[in-house]
Amino acid sequence: MAMIKNKYTISQKIKLAYCLIRTKLLCRQARIIRFPFEIRGKEYIDLGTNLTTGVGCRLEAFSEKGEKTMHFGNNVQINDYVHICSMQNVTIGNNVLIAGKVYISDNSHGSYKGDEFDTSPETDPIKRDYAKNAVVIEDNVWIGEGVVVLPGVTLGKGCIIGANSVVSKSIPSYVIAVGAPAMPIKKFNFETQRWDKASRDLSCDK
Ligand SMILES: CC(C)(COP(=O)(O)OP(=O)(O)OC[C@H]1O[C@@H](n2cnc3c(N)ncnc32)[C@H](O)[C@@H]1OP(=O)(O)O)[C@@H](O)C(=O)NCCC(=O)NCCS
């Protein structure tokens, strides 16, 4: 396939140069941070190396014991308006590509599992105890535009999540999953080097 070229206009080049200088002043190990960029709890975030961000991203990390709760690997790219929130652990592997307007969180306001920890709807949502469950995004994952990744989810190595999907359960490695809730539609066959159709369940081997 031919390489697609992309030329910046002069004003885009000026903006890029401004972001590059600011990136190197604020966060040397990143490749480029595009501003505005909102970061809360920087001390609880490991930005990895060579991070690239689009404009308007928001990273929010909280920590009970002072440990880091958000970890980026190397060469991660997150596009415009990505919002990632961690309270327990959000780990993003190497070479992960995250499209714009993606939301990833390991926590939610309250618990609704039907057990003794359930939250009453009469409690103000903002005052509900946080329910937390780690999110892991393994190497070489590609997450499409507008995806939501909910607490407790692991996205296996090399998997692809289709645009606008809501991922509520873990997705095995080397699988393409789409929809709300996201279900596998294809799985990579390493013998034939092709994507085979997959049954729409989550029992594919990881
Ligand atoms: C997930 C994706 C890569 C799949 O591509 P593909 O394998 O070529 O998909 P196909 O066209 O063969 O579609 C296979 C089936 O999945 C469905 N499908 C594909 N993407 C879907 C999506 N995002 N949501 C719901 N269904 C989807 C198709 O309608 C088709 O359904 P059918 O079998 O009932 O006809 C692609 O559809 C996608 O969503 N790409 C993300 C684009 C994006 O966000 N880009 C940002 C750049 S960083």
Side-chain angles (χ1 to χ4, degrees), residues 79 97 99 142 144-145 160 162-163 176 178-179 185-186 200:
N79 289 340
L97 175 59
W142 173 33
E145 190 91 5
I160 298 171
I176 299 177
V178 301
I185 53 163
K186 296 182 186 181
R200 289 188 181 230

Side-chain angles (χ1 to χ4, degrees), residues 24 27-32 47-53 73-77:
K24 294 301 161 194
C27 182
R28 286 179 72 81
Q29 74 273 30
R31 182 173 159 266
I32 183 158
L47 288 173
T49 53
N50 277 336
L51 176 70
T52 302
T53 81
N74 303 323
N75 306 317
V76 174
Q77 178 161 337

Side-chain angles (χ1 to χ4, degrees), residues 174-190:
Y174 312 119
V175 155
I176 299 177
V178 301
M183 291 290 174
I185 53 163
K186 296 182 186 181
K187 182 164 174 61
F188 193 68
N189 181 331
F190 282 91

